[in-house]
Amino acid sequence: MKVKVFSVLLLLIPSLLFAFTVSGSEAQTTQVNFSEYSISFHSINSVLNVGTTTMTISNATFNGTVSGQFKVMKQTATYLVSEGKTTHVNGTLTVHVNQDGFVSVSSPIPLTEVEVSTDSQNEVVWAGAPSSEVQGYAYINGTGTLTAYFLNGISMDKIELNVSAEGNFTLPINYTVNEPSLTIKSTSESEITVELNGFERYHSGNFMMNGSSYINIGGVNYSLSTSYFEGKYVPSMIWRAMTTGVIVGNGAEVNYMNVEFFGVNGTEAGFVRSMFVSNEGQIGFASNSFQHSRLLIVRYEGVSLLSGPTFTIESNGVKVMVVYNHDNVSTTAYVKGIHKVQHGLLVKIFVNSSSYLFVNSSNATTVPQVKPQLTHVNIKVNSTIYNALEADINASGYALFNLTVQNGSFLLYKNVNGAINSGKPRGLLHFE
């Protein structure tokens, strides 16, 4: 439909443009939860060497505030494992999970490892010498499975329990177990460096391990989703990769995951990076199992999170996820400006190039920029004739245009099908 918009010159204003604002600021403080665990279980059973079992566990953890890369000490201990007395255990496995990912486990059977699986990605929460009270961090995207490992003599058994990202969970335990005897064979200590660089949105990413690139993710190997973060489901971008046979012998499987979370006005709120390596096998009389987990949870303090109606639209050939709630917007795109208009928000975003979106609680759509045909005319309003600038616009749906006035401020009128109506300069014109 063709619509005429008249600007009537009165005082002084340079142009008719939307005044875009973006509230909030980039976070100044980085909160980090980091853990790296390795668990190796090696057993030899032969006529000449019966029941020789060793278990090696490495751990490096850090929880605190940082401003860049940081260093963590890694402790490694190797144990000789032998069978002990058999006992019957009757009690309750208790798990508590906070929305920030903190996990605590109380078990009537001393545990050597606690693992969480969520969205097909495994993470070691804790590993060490057998203990009945353990704690650590995990990223759980809504729901997951917690696996508690324990030594049953010279074998490793496990208990599984369904958990969610926040709450208390219990499981009755009624089990006969052989209490093992552990002797420390050796200990060592080393230092590792942890980088804090997240993945750049709408770009490919490289997963790295031990300074070598085992996986290159190119092209558009990411996905858009809403993911759980700090108690809310927020817009996110997810990178995943898997490879085999490159870390620990044949059959080793390596799974990588990186999730970037976005808050109000598209501000980066944090990210999670997880790597999990597993390998099990037997050669002759020797059986081996190996697990390696590295988890980094990063939160940028000061970023507001938003959950609400969620939309996925296409802008400049790229998919964009948008969440709207009470005149606030969160998105996977870069936000360059926001203007409150009738019935929603006009949002200027950047993905490859700039574009505009209109979003409210029931709709999100791209807004094309149109170029009006401009003519100087005289119009009569309430028996008064004014010199005016006529902008002739041919558009349907939502449209955005610039109208520049050389001198004076303005009154704005719409001419729809010959009827001149007062417009609303602060609103987005909706052509019906």
Side-chain angles (χ1 to χ4, degrees):
M1 175 177 290
K2 183 171 289 188
V3 178
K4 298 181 186 296
V5 177
F6 298 99
S7 175
V8 180
L9 309 183
L10 293 177
L11 297 175
L12 177 62
I13 193 168
S15 63
L16 172 60
L17 294 170
F18 287 110
F20 281 101
T21 59
V22 176
S23 61
S25 60
E26 294 294 330
Q28 300 298 313
T29 306
T30 303
Q31 182 70 33
V32 167
N33 302 116
F34 170 80
S35 64
E36 180 175 297
Y37 292 99
S38 296
I39 306 98
S40 177
F41 201 74
H42 179 74
S43 181
I44 299 177
N45 287 285
S46 69
V47 176
L48 299 177
N49 195 344
V50 178
T52 302
T53 301
T54 60
M55 180 177 67
T56 300
I57 298 177
S58 299
N59 71 82
T61 62
F62 175 84
N63 302 297
T65 300
V66 298
S67 57
Q69 73 171 30
F70 58 95
K71 298 182 183 297
V72 184
M73 297 306 299
K74 180 170 72 172
Q75 313 288 337
T76 301
T78 298
Y79 303 89
L80 293 175
V81 183
S82 57
E83 292 186 337
K85 64 178 182 179
T86 299
T87 185
H88 186 78
V89 177
N90 190 359
T92 301
L93 179 74
T94 302
V95 178
H96 175 74
V97 183
N98 286 350
Q99 68 178 27
D100 64 356
F102 178 77
V103 179
S104 62
V105 181
S106 177
S107 172
I109 303 175
L111 305 176
T112 57
E113 180 188 354
V114 174
E115 184 181 305
V116 165
S117 176
T118 182
D119 278 355
S120 302
Q121 182 72 20
N122 290 21
E123 306 156 358
V124 174
V125 177
W126 174 89
S131 176
S132 295
E133 302 287 337
V134 304
Q135 61 187 38
Y137 280 85
Y139 172 69
I140 302 176
N141 187 19
T143 60
T145 301
L146 182 141
T147 303
Y149 291 90
F150 60 94
L151 287 170
N152 189 358
I154 58 174
S155 300
M156 193 77 75
D157 284 355
K158 64 183 180 180
I159 304 169
E160 293 186 340
L161 174 65
N162 292 329
V163 296
S164 63
E166 183 178 6
N168 297 303
F169 314 92
T170 59
L171 181 69
I173 301 296
N174 194 340
Y175 209 90
T176 299
V177 62
N178 184 282
E179 295 180 343
S181 174
L182 270 67
T183 303
I184 295 179
K185 182 179 179 181
S186 64
T187 61
S188 62
E189 188 176 78
S190 59
E191 186 179 75
I192 61 176
T193 300
V194 182
E195 302 286 346
L196 284 182
N197 299 326
F199 282 9
E200 185 177 358
R201 68 184 91 185
Y202 291 100
H203 284 73
S204 60
N206 293 320
F207 286 103
M208 308 290 288
M209 178 179 178
N210 298 332
S212 299
S213 177
Y214 287 89
I215 288 289
N216 264 324
I217 299 181
V220 291
N221 287 338
Y222 57 80
S223 61
L224 303 184
S225 184
T226 52
S227 300
Y228 186 90
F229 190 63
E230 296 289 282
K232 297 180 183 293
Y233 285 91
V234 302
S236 65
M237 300 189 72
I238 304 172
W239 291 256
R240 294 181 183 274
M242 187 276 285
T243 190
T244 58
V246 295
I247 305 298
V248 185
N250 294 329
E253 182 175 288
V254 188
N255 288 277
Y256 296 101
M257 180 182 74
N258 189 93
V259 186
E260 302 280 333
F261 308 98
F262 303 98
V264 171
N265 299 334
T267 305
E268 187 177 353
F271 67 89
V272 168
R273 184 167 302 154
S274 173
M275 176 186 65
F276 186 81
V277 183
S278 63
N279 178 42
E280 291 186 8
Q282 184 160 343
I283 301 177
F285 298 106
S287 60
N288 301 278
S289 66
F290 174 81
Q291 290 180 328
H292 177 79
S293 172
R294 176 181 271 218
L295 176 67
L296 177 63
I297 304 174
V298 174
R299 303 173 185 85
Y300 300 125
E301 294 183 0
V303 179
S304 298
L305 300 176
L306 188 70
S307 60
T310 303
F311 311 95
T312 301
I313 63 173
E314 188 170 299
S315 177
N316 296 322
V318 178
K319 289 185 177 180
V320 174
M321 179 161 286
V322 182
V323 171
Y324 175 89
N325 197 335
H326 293 97
D327 288 334
N328 286 301
V329 67
S330 180
T331 175
T332 53
Y334 294 98
V335 175
K336 299 300 182 180
I338 294 176
H339 183 77
K340 187 175 180 180
V341 296
Q342 291 174 325
H343 312 303
L345 296 176
L346 178 66
V347 185
K348 183 179 182 181
I349 65 169
F350 183 88
V351 180
N352 298 330
S353 61
S354 295
S355 60
Y356 295 88
L357 308 177
F358 172 73
V359 59
N360 59 22
S361 60
S362 59
N363 180 45
T365 185
T366 56
V367 179
Q369 290 180 270
V370 298
K371 186 175 181 180
Q373 295 181 349
L374 302 178
T375 307
H376 288 277
V377 297
N378 294 325
I379 65 170
K380 187 175 182 180
V381 180
N382 297 328
S383 302
T384 303
I385 296 178
Y386 295 97
N387 292 322
L389 182 65
E390 178 186 275
D392 196 358
I393 302 159
N394 191 8
S396 61
Y398 297 99
L400 180 69
F401 64 93
N402 290 337
L403 181 59
T404 302
V405 179
Q406 298 299 325
N407 294 290
S409 73
F410 59 89
L411 293 176
L412 187 65
Y413 296 91
K414 288 189 298 183
N415 182 350
V416 181
N417 297 328
I420 296 179
N421 302 311
S422 176
K424 294 184 178 180
R426 293 191 305 170
L428 183 67
L429 299 182
H430 182 200
F431 305 138
E432 298 178 349

